[in-house]
Amino acid sequence: MKIFMKVGLVKVKEKIMKTKITELFEIEHPIIQGGMHHVGFAELAAAVSNAGGLGTITGLTQGTPEKLANEIARCKEMTDKPFAVNLTFLPSLTPPDYPGLIKEIIDAGVPVVETAGRNPAEYLPALKEAGIKVIHKCTSVRHSLKAQDIGCDAVSVDGFECGGHPGEDDIPNFILLPRAADELEIPFVASGGMADGRSLVGAMALGAEGMNMGTRFIATQDAPVHQNVKEAIVNASELDTRLVMRSLRNTERVLNNAAVERLMEKEKALGADLKFEDIIDEVAGVYPKIMHEGTMEAGAWSCGMVAGLVNDIPTVQDLIDGIMSQADEIINSRLKNF
Ligand SMILES: Cc1cc2nc3c(=O)[nH]c(=O)nc-3n(C[C@H](O)[C@H](O)[C@H](O)COP(=O)(O)O)c2cc1C
């Protein structure tokens, strides 16, 4: 894993971990930043890609195809490395202009798309024809196999620990990852609960070809969100997330706050009769208030249990360098001694 590169007369030590994921996406380190609503802007995506990982712009956050095109152009000004766009397919009465968003992604030559939510089969031919690599985020082995069947290039396997939508099966990554490894032929990354070099080595040991992180990347200097959000993650422990909206089969792992407690009271009171309209104040349109204004009690926002492992707010470059050094130390020192 260690090689020495000669730069002029100076020997530079570089840590290289080549995996099927680094080869597929033509990146240096097997570390991906997952799409995050109102977090995945050009600043974060470019910082992750510049540090050797794969950064991701969140497509739906941008609002319109034109705005997505602008964000992609901004990202290209900040990095010449590959980056991805996330397309989250949600059930909606007024669906976003997915064909329009996809056209901008293709026209801009974005090399990778991270899909999430429902089955992306309808949009796959257009993406594949344009030579775009597709990684689909799945919370179960059966959905991962489906993604493989329909022609996705890779899967991001999101365990029960993850921030955002962990699905309805509640299988943690210690089971889900080796199960995925037993069944899948396409490469996958571990997602949910990943924070450091220990996570990366553990994920690789369980069969993954890299890791995807959400929550950890929010608490970085490069994440374009309010300082209060970063501090809330640093101050949270692994006990501070809650699962909401289970009865709507739209389970989301969020950081506990006054709005989440209100939401859970309504869930308890209404039981199976709960409708989306009952909790609209706690969940609809709250992301801009939280992420950009720092009004932390404005509503429910996604956050992973991994908050318990986040104790600092480094630059993305330092975070990724630290992960690779720690992984190297674990593999080449700690594990070698056994
Ligand atoms: C604040 C936040 C917003 C997110 N928004 C999205 C989203 O819009 N689309 C998506 O596919 N995943 C979204 N995710 C999930 C992440 O991409 C990633 O899969 C997840 O955070 C991994 O778990 P971790 O937080 O334990 O690292 C979000 C996660 C967080 C924390």
Side-chain angles (χ1 to χ4, degrees):
M1 172 170 170
K2 252 186 216 165
I3 64 156
F4 290 91
M5 239 173 36
K6 266 195 172 170
V7 179
L9 292 175
V10 189
K11 262 189 178 178
V12 179
K13 195 172 80 173
E14 263 226 342
K15 298 187 172 57
I16 301 282
M17 190 186 267
K18 259 195 177 184
T19 75
K20 287 179 186 158
I21 286 292
T22 61
E23 308 260 280
L24 181 66
F25 297 142
E26 299 180 29
I27 52 178
E28 202 181 337
H29 305 307
I31 300 174
I32 299 178
Q33 169 241 322
M36 287 181 282
H37 200 38
H38 284 276
V39 182
F41 291 98
E43 286 77 8
L44 181 59
V48 174
S49 291
N50 281 333
L54 184 73
T56 304
I57 292 173
T58 318
L60 295 194
T61 301
Q62 313 309 324
T64 64
E66 295 69 37
K67 287 184 180 158
L68 175 61
N70 272 344
E71 201 61 16
I72 294 171
R74 280 201 326 117
C75 197
K76 281 185 168 175
E77 276 166 24
M78 293 182 230
T79 185
D80 53 8
K81 303 268 177 67
F83 61 87
V85 171
N86 167 285
L87 286 177
T88 305
F89 299 108
L90 297 169
S92 166
L93 292 176
T94 47
D97 180 5
Y98 289 115
L101 295 170
I102 288 171
K103 183 178 180 306
E104 297 303 340
I105 291 169
I106 293 172
D107 288 352
V110 174
V112 183
V113 164
E114 179 199 48
T115 52
R118 70 179 156 74
N119 185 328
E122 188 183 339
Y123 302 105
L124 222 53
L127 295 170
K128 300 305 300 171
E129 241 165 65
I132 293 173
K133 304 275 189 314
V134 177
I135 177 164
H136 187 56
K137 188 150 44 190
C138 304
T139 57
S140 70
V141 175
R142 62 186 186 286
H143 291 151
S144 303
L145 286 170
K146 187 77 201 168
Q148 175 174 283
D149 281 353
I150 65 172
C152 292
D153 300 280
V155 193
S156 189
V157 176
D158 230 10
F160 180 55
E161 305 89 334
C162 74
H165 294 271
E168 311 303 327
D169 289 353
D170 300 354
I171 309 297
N173 267 334
F174 244 87
I175 310 295
L176 193 56
L177 299 174
R179 280 283 299 116
D182 284 346
E183 302 235 8
L184 281 175
E185 278 157 32
I186 55 173
F188 66 94
V189 293
S191 179
M194 305 290 133
D196 52 29
R198 297 172 297 184
S199 320
L200 180 58
V201 177
M204 306 281 291
L206 295 174
E209 296 281 331
M211 70 178 180
N212 177 72
M213 302 194 294
T215 303
R216 174 63 272 198
F217 274 126
I218 303 177
T220 59
Q221 289 171 33
D222 304 88
V225 300
H226 198 283
Q227 185 70 9
N228 290 354
V229 183
K230 304 178 189 189
E231 283 170 15
I233 292 172
V234 168
N235 293 333
S237 88
E238 64 276 20
L239 301 174
D240 292 330
T241 70
R242 299 289 180 269
L243 292 176
V244 295
M245 294 192 283
R246 170 126 286 174
S247 65
L248 301 174
R249 291 193 66 76
N250 187 29
T251 301
E252 183 179 359
R253 185 178 297 286
V254 298
L255 192 68
N256 195 20
N257 62 24
V260 169
E261 281 180 0
R262 225 167 38 235
L263 193 168
M264 290 173 77
E265 280 300 316
K266 292 183 190 178
E267 287 185 326
K268 211 163 133 195
L270 294 168
D273 294 333
L274 183 91
K275 295 188 192 60
F276 183 72
E277 299 79 69
D278 298 318
I279 54 169
I280 209 153
D281 289 346
E282 283 78 28
V283 297
V286 299
Y287 268 74
K289 292 182 205 150
I290 292 160
M291 294 298 172
H292 310 310
E293 292 163 26
T295 313
M296 300 314 295
E297 307 290 311
W301 60 282
S302 296
C303 179
M305 285 178 169
V306 74
L309 294 176
V310 177
N311 303 310
D312 56 0
I313 305 175
T315 63
V316 163
Q317 182 76 53
D318 285 349
L319 176 66
I320 291 186
D321 287 350
I323 290 171
M324 295 314 295
S325 300
Q326 192 184 24
D328 175 64
E329 199 275 328
I330 294 171
I331 295 168
N332 290 310
S333 301
R334 184 160 187 272
L335 298 182
K336 273 227 170 106
N337 292 334
F338 285 130

